[in-house]
Amino acid sequence: KYFTGASGLFSFYFKPDISREQAINFVEALKYFHIGFGWGGYESLVMFFKEIRSDAVDNPNQYLVRLFIGLEEPEDLIEDLSQAMEKTL
């Protein structure tokens, strides 16, 4: 009734040429996204995972980052993701 069809939870993989250290540094460079679980709250969260897909054997250096988008201003979150990418990748 109040919420239909969308979610603030999504994941992405880095390209295989991105190192584990770069992926971790990206997560740690974020300012608005706090590291942790707890999907469904009001704060933006981020988690880093080593590959978890069944086909990850083909791409052993892929790393997954899961984001939960909270109630911060979208422009602030976009800027935060951009600065972390520029700083670490």
Side-chain angles (χ1 to χ4, degrees):
K1 172 176 167 178
Y2 296 109
F3 188 77
T4 58
S7 173
L9 178 62
F10 65 96
S11 301
F12 64 90
Y13 281 96
F14 285 107
K15 292 181 180 179
D17 61 332
I18 299 298
S19 71
R20 178 180 174 85
E21 182 179 351
Q22 286 175 295
I24 290 171
N25 288 342
F26 167 81
V27 169
E28 291 177 349
L30 294 167
K31 298 174 183 172
Y32 282 96
F33 290 86
H34 301 281
I35 297 172
F37 290 104
W39 321 120
Y42 64 91
E43 294 178 306
S44 292
L45 300 172
V46 61
M47 283 299 301
F48 168 81
F49 298 92
K50 177 72 172 112
E51 70 275 312
I52 58 173
R53 298 186 320 200
S54 61
D55 66 345
V57 174
D58 295 335
N59 296 300
N61 294 327
Q62 276 191 305
Y63 302 101
L64 177 102
V65 172
R66 179 170 285 169
L67 299 174
F68 175 76
I69 307 302
L71 297 179
E72 296 87 356
E73 291 294 326
E75 295 82 11
D76 292 337
L77 298 178
I78 292 167
E79 184 178 319
D80 193 22
L81 291 166
S82 295
Q83 68 82 24
M85 284 183 208
E86 289 175 16
K87 186 183 288 185
T88 61
L89 304 180

